[in-house]
Amino acid sequence: MIQVREARADDWPAMWRLMQPVVAAAETFSWDPDLPEEQARERWFHEPPGRTFVAIDDDGEIVGTAESEPNHEGPGAHVATAGFMVDSHRQGRGAGRALCEHVLERARADGFRAIQFNAVAESNARAVALWKSLGFRVLTTVPEAFCHPTEGYVGLHIMYRRL
Amino acid sequence: MIQVREARADDWPAMWRLMQPVVAAAETFSWDPDLPEEQARERWFHEPPGRTFVAIDDDGEIVGTAESEPNHEGPGAHVATAGFMVDSHRQGRGAGRALCEHVLERARADGFRAIQFNAVAESNARAVALWKSLGFRVLTTVPEAFCHPTEGYVGLHIMYRRL
């Protein structure tokens, strides 16, 4: 059973252990694959109303993490965005789903009206299927906007769910 | 005749004079309307390959400004994004068009494959028409993603042009 809670500063080393390989692989995230750890930490932990979560398995291990924040500011601050990373060795065990359900619940409680994902690689079939099963739909696919290391140029889905 | 050139650090006071009312109006930009000047400056001037431009009129006055940078990093760094602000008292004189033509030209020269605008308020009919006349198309409209001060919730267009 996966538990999700707010991330604490002292969770970071375990979070980065699972995040760094995801970033370096550059198969799912549009981040610099060599992003320094300190910049990753600043990017993943937000000022309120942004939030950061960790998913914990039965052994008490951090197996995934998520962040959410307003997608824009001011007149656009009522739509949230979010990002998710799961330990590549622990995929398919429900961490991504548990994290996303938690993000949806908290975003709704925080008063956001919708969630928008800005860049879901269409080659990331597992994630696309998961988000769809959680009520997200593809608003559009930006053509060839993601250069996958083995599949070449693929589209980036912009996905959306009203809260 | 509008001339466009790279912005210099000492252009900032004139840039901010035209930008601040645009930001404060919150009618077109999804920024905090009270964004402090220093944060606006950091947001508008980029590290390379980002660029910042100013549009100069016949009197040598700065009447508009634009910025562009990669929309994402790493596997997504080949698509640029851009932002534009024109002095509200000098609209309709070609500054926006000249800035966008310049951004397109430089982005192409810099090797970008496309440009994506992430948040064009659909209520901003003048801008939407201008971008369309310059070859952009609306990929999707995120529903009610922009809260206009008088028109209420309107959509945010995501616009795109291949280079």
Side-chain angles (χ1 to χ4, degrees):
Chain A
M1 181 69 184
I2 301 284
Q3 303 285 338
V4 176
R5 62 162 171 79
E6 299 254 353
R8 302 182 301 247
D10 66 357
D11 292 325
W12 177 254
M15 292 162 67
W16 182 238
R17 263 198 302 280
L18 74 88
M19 291 171 68
Q20 195 277 334
V22 176
V23 176
E27 292 173 345
T28 55
F29 259 71
S30 298
W31 284 16
D32 174 359
D34 300 316
L35 191 73
E37 177 176 350
E38 189 49 38
Q39 286 183 41
R41 190 219 297 249
E42 286 171 14
R43 193 177 288 193
W44 206 253
F45 279 103
H46 305 295
E47 297 294 309
R51 294 183 181 276
T52 307
F53 303 104
V54 287
I56 316 276
D57 72 3
D58 288 332
D59 300 328
E61 298 267 334
I62 290 177
V63 296
T65 179
E67 53 80 36
S68 75
E69 63 176 342
N71 196 37
H72 298 293
E73 284 176 7
H78 56 285
V79 177
T81 189
F84 302 84
M85 294 195 202
V86 171
D87 187 333
S88 55
H89 304 295
R90 275 116 153 196
Q91 297 231 334
R93 302 190 199 171
R97 175 176 297 274
L99 283 162
C100 189
E101 285 173 345
H102 202 84
V103 162
L104 288 167
E105 188 180 303
R106 297 308 295 266
R108 196 179 290 114
D110 286 340
F112 289 101
R113 295 166 58 104
I115 297 196
Q116 177 181 340
F117 297 155
N118 298 305
V120 181
E122 64 181 342
S123 48
N124 191 1
R126 183 200 296 266
V128 174
L130 177 58
W131 307 147
K132 283 183 177 172
S133 79
L134 287 163
F136 286 83
R137 63 193 167 96
V138 174
L139 286 185
T140 192
T141 306
V142 186
E144 301 183 356
F146 188 86
C147 187
H148 188 281
T150 57
E151 299 185 35
Y153 289 104
V154 299
L156 276 181
H157 291 323
I158 290 169
M159 300 188 74
Y160 175 87
R161 193 206 139 134
R162 192 176 292 272
L163 292 175
Chain B
M1 180 71 182
I2 301 284
Q3 302 285 338
V4 176
R5 63 162 171 78
E6 299 256 353
R8 301 184 303 246
D10 66 357
D11 292 326
W12 176 255
M15 292 162 67
W16 182 239
R17 261 198 303 280
L18 75 88
M19 291 171 69
Q20 194 276 333
V22 175
V23 175
E27 292 174 344
T28 56
F29 260 70
S30 299
W31 284 16
D32 175 0
D34 300 316
L35 191 74
E37 176 175 349
E38 189 49 40
Q39 285 183 43
R41 190 219 296 252
E42 285 171 13
R43 193 177 289 192
W44 206 252
F45 279 102
H46 305 295
E47 298 294 309
R51 295 182 180 277
T52 307
F53 303 104
V54 287
I56 315 277
D57 72 3
D58 288 332
D59 300 328
E61 299 267 334
I62 290 177
V63 297
T65 179
E67 53 80 36
S68 75
E69 62 176 341
N71 196 37
H72 297 293
E73 284 176 7
H78 56 285
V79 176
T81 189
F84 302 85
M85 294 196 201
V86 171
D87 187 333
S88 55
H89 303 296
R90 273 112 156 200
Q91 297 230 334
R93 301 190 199 170
R97 175 176 297 274
L99 283 162
C100 189
E101 286 173 344
H102 202 83
V103 163
L104 288 167
E105 188 181 302
R106 296 308 294 267
R108 197 180 287 115
D110 285 339
F112 289 101
R113 295 165 58 104
I115 297 195
Q116 177 181 340
F117 298 155
N118 298 304
V120 181
E122 64 180 342
S123 48
N124 191 1
R126 183 201 294 267
V128 174
L130 176 59
W131 307 147
K132 284 183 176 171
S133 79
L134 287 164
F136 286 82
R137 64 192 165 95
V138 174
L139 286 184
T140 192
T141 306
V142 185
E144 301 183 355
F146 189 86
C147 188
H148 188 281
T150 58
E151 299 186 35
Y153 289 104
V154 299
L156 276 180
H157 291 323
I158 291 170
M159 301 188 74
Y160 176 87
R161 193 205 140 136
R162 194 175 291 272
L163 292 175

